[in-house]
Amino acid sequence: MKFNVHSLAFKQTLLILLGITVIFGTLLLTLQRLVNTRMSELIMARGQEISEKHVSLIDNIFDGSASIVKGIVDKIEQGEISQADMGDFLPAAYRNAHDKVAITSALVVAYEPENGKEFIRITGDGLNGKVLNGSGYQSMSWYVEAKAKGKGIWCEPFISNYVDKPVAVYAMPFYETLPDGSKKFKGVVCLDILLSFLRDAVASIQIENSGYAFILSAENKIVAHPRDDWIFKETLYSLAKGRDANLSDFEKAVRELHSGILLGKTFKGESACIYFSHMKVDGWVFGIVWPADEFFEKRRKMTSILGMLSLLGYALMFGLVLVISSRVSRPLKELASVAKRLGQGDFEVEIPQVKGKDEIAEFAEAFGHMRDSLKENIEKQKGVERVQNELEMARKIQLGLLAKNDDDDGVKDNRHKLYPFILPAKEVGGDFYDFVKVDENRLAFLIADVSGKGIPAALLMMSSRSMLKSVVLAGSSVEDTFNVVNDRLAFRNYLNMFVTVWMGILDLRTGEVEFACAGHNPPVICHDDGTVEFAKSRPGLVLAAMEGTRYKRQTLKLEPGDTIFLYTDGVTEATNANEELFGDDRLLQTLREACGMEPAEICPFVKSKIDAFVGDAPQFDDITMLALKFVGKT
């Protein structure tokens, strides 16, 4: 049998070198992994030991402060202390708190305003036992957060107005028990503690190998660190700017795990081993940093020895095959260089001429054909892919602006139920819906359809939605909202586009709906008794058509159990293969069948009826719906 030195079979013998490389590499990586695992276990154990020793002391101080506030709240709720008693009670309570927790800075009792009158009492360090009156406290973070969450919480630290130093605040709401057994929010008690003790606690922790400890707040703000200029002034985000610091991985691990260890970067961008553990205070993190260059010195020495031995053996084997491989690898290197330039978009590169009749010569010829084909196809694909990518991104942004349900937009209320649905005909569309609480007892909801399709309609949709929402939230009536938004949209409306809108404001106490219509389809009302009818809605001129247009306020009444169904013309004008419209009559019949369903069932049910009617015919218009059920008092 003749032996062909030009065959790849001969050249494949050089793969032995690769096999040996893989073996050496696998052994080296396995040993490194074992060393890393053992070192990580040692660091974890050491970090846990230090953390448990010091964090428990810090947590006890926070627990003691919280128990003081809880005791005062119990006395207020049980009627032992009234507003009139606060002037005498508060100084004594503060001195008692200061005796128990020496770092107590201030004690505050703030009542929910009644009849427009505020009532807040403050005493603490620097006030010499005096009780101060405050004002404007309803917007303070400690008051807002405690009221919203309905339980005792540790708020994000801030600089106190009274001692001009960083403090942590524990705030807890108190309630009045009404005759029917329900609870009525009455106010908030909070206690400030100075955070300087954390700096002293961290500085006192002795950690080997130049290590140090730090503490982060729930918002990643540094509240304790060996560097005083970082305390309460820097966060993970601000420290990461301009540095190669792997802080995003650290933050993700901290939020998902109770404790753990990371190999990453310090705040100064240095390689380090970081151990973290959560404290009892929600979101606060205790961390320990060991500089990796010092702590892993032994591991690096062991790795260096293994690497030197592997490199020596590899060099000896490489020398044996170097002469043989040089001739074979030369054309492959040239082709690899060509491939790199092709990958960078250089389709004018010359393909090297490879002499001979072996597989490499055939490969070089095929490479030339591939270059020509890639050059032609990529030019065609560039334009199409760019447009498709931009449209897909625009679609995600547009749909991401719309709330998926009432809980998503923070309007959930047991006095109503609602469910929206939207399906653009193209990547982006002009339909939109929205709902927002104007105040505690009024819910604004709307549906709209922008003229045209694609990017222009999507841009007008986003600006229209933003204007409608901001104006109605500013306290405007529904007709004034339309008047203001129409004038803004009509100004410089060079493309003569317009928006049809139906918008109502539901009084959740009575079921009264005040609404205005700008050229939009009238909604359908599904009564609790099973009857269905179009709402009596007089259409006005579409928005953006003409400056100075004025819209009229209209009203309708929803009884408990009634559902109002809003939709765009993509529903009634859905067309089948015979060019028949779904129409108003089919919509009414569909909603009669849907009587008794919840809003979350009505919209999918209507969509299924449209799909059955349309069949395989393409969708030409956006389909948008919003079902709102008035439950009434519960």
Side-chain angles (χ1 to χ4, degrees), residues 86-200:
M86 283 300 165
D88 296 328
F89 168 77
L90 207 58
Y94 171 73
R95 288 191 295 271
N96 183 48
H98 196 276
D99 291 340
K100 293 180 179 180
V101 181
I103 56 174
T104 299
S105 173
L107 186 60
V108 180
V109 178
Y111 281 80
E112 180 75 353
E114 294 183 353
N115 301 321
K117 295 182 178 180
E118 299 178 335
F119 185 90
I120 182 173
R121 296 296 183 265
I122 307 166
T123 187
D125 187 22
L127 300 180
N128 298 321
K130 295 181 180 179
V131 177
L132 298 182
N133 300 333
S135 62
Y137 54 86
Q138 302 97 315
S139 61
M140 296 297 182
S141 60
W142 53 267
Y143 190 89
V144 174
E145 293 178 16
K147 179 179 179 180
K149 295 184 179 180
K151 63 178 183 179
I153 58 170
W154 280 102
C155 303
E156 187 67 13
F158 60 88
I159 301 296
S160 170
N161 293 331
Y162 304 105
V163 295
D164 194 28
K165 294 179 181 179
V167 296
V169 178
Y170 184 80
M172 186 175 183
F174 56 89
Y175 299 86
E176 176 186 357
T177 303
L178 301 178
D180 61 359
S182 61
K183 299 287 187 179
K184 179 182 179 182
F185 174 77
K186 294 296 290 181
V188 175
V189 177
C190 71
L191 182 143
D192 300 3
I193 63 172
L194 296 171
L195 290 180
S196 56
F197 83 99
L198 292 179
R199 170 65 178 86
D200 298 335

Side-chain angles (χ1 to χ4, degrees), residues 28-298:
L28 182 61
L29 291 175
T30 301
L31 290 173
Q32 280 187 315
R33 189 175 293 110
L34 292 174
V35 172
N36 291 345
T37 300
R38 182 54 182 163
M39 293 299 295
S40 297
E41 291 174 352
L42 292 174
I43 296 173
M44 179 72 80
R46 179 57 177 157
Q48 185 174 0
E49 177 186 352
I50 297 174
S51 177
E52 290 178 351
K53 178 181 178 181
H54 295 278
V55 170
S56 61
L57 298 176
I58 299 172
D59 284 339
N60 287 338
I61 296 176
F62 282 97
D63 289 344
S65 301
S67 64
I68 293 171
V69 174
K70 292 175 183 176
I72 296 174
V73 168
D74 288 341
K75 291 182 178 180
I76 295 176
E77 292 183 340
Q78 292 171 10
E80 298 179 18
I81 308 170
S82 65
Q83 287 188 14
D85 300 330
M86 283 300 165
D88 296 328
F89 168 77
L90 207 58
Y94 171 73
R95 288 191 295 271
N96 183 48
H98 196 276
D99 291 340
K100 293 180 179 180
V101 181
I103 56 174
T104 299
S105 173
L107 186 60
V108 180
V109 178
Y111 281 80
E112 180 75 353
E114 294 183 353
N115 301 321
K117 295 182 178 180
E118 299 178 335
F119 185 90
I120 182 173
R121 296 296 183 265
I122 307 166
T123 187
D125 187 22
L127 300 180
N128 298 321
K130 295 181 180 179
V131 177
L132 298 182
N133 300 333
S135 62
Y137 54 86
Q138 302 97 315
S139 61
M140 296 297 182
S141 60
W142 53 267
Y143 190 89
V144 174
E145 293 178 16
K147 179 179 179 180
K149 295 184 179 180
K151 63 178 183 179
I153 58 170
W154 280 102
C155 303
E156 187 67 13
F158 60 88
I159 301 296
S160 170
N161 293 331
Y162 304 105
V163 295
D164 194 28
K165 294 179 181 179
V167 296
V169 178
Y170 184 80
M172 186 175 183
F174 56 89
Y175 299 86
E176 176 186 357
T177 303
L178 301 178
D180 61 359
S182 61
K183 299 287 187 179
K184 179 182 179 182
F185 174 77
K186 294 296 290 181
V188 175
V189 177
C190 71
L191 182 143
D192 300 3
I193 63 172
L194 296 171
L195 290 180
S196 56
F197 83 99
L198 292 179
R199 170 65 178 86
D200 298 335
V202 165
S204 66
I205 299 175
Q206 299 297 321
I207 302 174
E208 63 277 6
N209 295 318
S210 302
Y212 59 88
F214 64 92
I215 297 177
L216 299 177
S217 70
E219 295 183 2
N220 292 327
K221 187 179 295 181
I222 298 175
V223 296
H225 191 277
R227 286 188 57 168
D228 291 335
D229 57 327
W230 284 7
I231 297 175
F232 215 69
K233 297 178 182 178
E234 298 284 2
T235 65
L236 286 178
Y237 302 109
S238 63
L239 292 170
K241 291 180 180 179
R243 301 182 177 92
D244 183 21
N246 197 13
L247 296 177
S248 60
D249 291 342
F250 175 72
E251 180 190 8
K252 181 179 179 181
V254 166
R255 298 310 169 203
E256 293 179 354
L257 303 176
H258 180 269
S259 63
I261 187 169
L262 288 173
L263 293 177
K265 303 288 186 178
T266 66
F267 301 129
K268 293 183 289 186
E270 300 171 346
S271 297
C273 177
I274 305 171
Y275 172 84
F276 66 88
S277 175
H278 280 268
M279 302 170 64
K280 286 186 178 180
V281 181
D282 290 342
W284 285 41
V285 175
F286 179 86
I288 302 173
V289 174
W290 288 276
D293 291 339
E294 298 179 15
F295 199 87
F296 294 112
E297 185 64 31
K298 293 182 179 179

Side-chain angles (χ1 to χ4, degrees), residues 237-537:
Y237 302 109
S238 63
L239 292 170
K241 291 180 180 179
R243 301 182 177 92
D244 183 21
N246 197 13
L247 296 177
S248 60
D249 291 342
F250 175 72
E251 180 190 8
K252 181 179 179 181
V254 166
R255 298 310 169 203
E256 293 179 354
L257 303 176
H258 180 269
S259 63
I261 187 169
L262 288 173
L263 293 177
K265 303 288 186 178
T266 66
F267 301 129
K268 293 183 289 186
E270 300 171 346
S271 297
C273 177
I274 305 171
Y275 172 84
F276 66 88
S277 175
H278 280 268
M279 302 170 64
K280 286 186 178 180
V281 181
D282 290 342
W284 285 41
V285 175
F286 179 86
I288 302 173
V289 174
W290 288 276
D293 291 339
E294 298 179 15
F295 199 87
F296 294 112
E297 185 64 31
K298 293 182 179 179
R299 190 192 72 176
R300 286 200 298 270
K301 289 181 178 180
M302 185 180 298
T303 302
S304 298
I305 295 173
L306 293 174
M308 290 293 292
L309 293 175
S310 300
L311 183 62
L312 180 60
Y314 185 83
L316 292 174
M317 290 179 290
F318 182 79
L320 295 176
V321 296
L322 180 60
V323 176
I324 300 174
S325 64
S326 60
R327 184 175 181 275
V328 177
S329 63
R330 187 180 301 112
L332 291 176
K333 289 181 178 179
E334 293 176 351
L335 289 175
S337 177
V338 170
K340 183 176 181 180
R341 293 178 62 181
L342 283 176
Q344 296 172 346
D346 183 6
F347 295 102
E348 303 299 330
V349 62
E350 291 293 332
I351 305 299
Q353 299 294 323
V354 180
K355 298 180 180 180
K357 299 180 180 181
D358 60 12
E359 291 86 343
I360 296 180
E362 295 177 1
F363 178 66
E365 183 179 358
F367 212 78
H369 294 304
M370 180 186 70
R371 177 202 61 181
D372 297 337
S373 298
L374 282 174
K375 181 178 180 181
E376 181 180 356
N377 291 331
I378 288 177
E379 290 299 325
K380 294 179 180 179
Q381 292 293 328
K382 281 182 178 178
V384 175
E385 291 178 357
R386 182 174 64 253
V387 173
Q388 289 177 342
N389 290 338
E390 291 176 353
L391 287 175
E392 179 61 20
M393 183 173 292
R395 178 179 182 275
K396 292 179 179 179
I397 294 174
Q398 183 185 29
L399 294 181
L401 292 174
L402 302 179
K404 304 300 183 296
N405 52 55
D406 53 359
D407 194 32
D408 191 21
D409 214 23
V411 303
K412 194 168 185 179
D413 192 311
N414 57 10
R415 294 173 291 180
H416 79 272
K417 297 180 181 179
L418 64 81
Y419 183 84
F421 177 92
I422 186 168
L423 181 64
K426 296 184 177 181
E427 286 82 359
V428 292
D431 282 9
F432 66 96
Y433 58 81
D434 208 350
F435 40 86
V436 64
K437 274 287 190 68
V438 178
D439 55 37
E440 184 178 359
N441 295 308
R442 293 193 301 158
L443 172 68
F445 58 101
L446 65 89
I447 197 165
D449 185 358
V450 178
S451 62
K453 301 290 182 294
I455 296 296
L459 292 174
L460 184 55
M461 166 262 177
M462 288 188 286
S463 61
S464 302
R465 174 183 175 272
S466 176
M467 290 182 189
L468 287 166
K469 188 170 186 177
S470 61
V471 174
V472 76
L473 282 177
S476 300
S477 63
V478 64
E479 66 272 23
D480 289 339
T481 298
F482 274 36
N483 294 338
V484 172
V485 173
N486 173 74
D487 290 343
R488 292 181 182 177
L489 293 177
F491 181 65
R492 296 180 180 174
N493 184 11
Y494 302 123
L495 297 180
N496 295 321
M497 298 181 70
F498 60 87
V499 189
T500 69
V501 186
W502 195 100
M503 179 179 185
I505 299 178
L506 168 64
D507 191 324
L508 296 172
R509 298 166 295 186
T510 64
E512 290 284 343
V513 179
E514 61 175 76
F515 68 91
C517 180
H520 199 81
N521 308 66
V524 179
I525 298 178
C526 302
H527 294 288
D528 192 39
D529 60 4
T531 59
V532 176
E533 64 177 350
F534 283 106
K536 295 180 181 179
S537 174

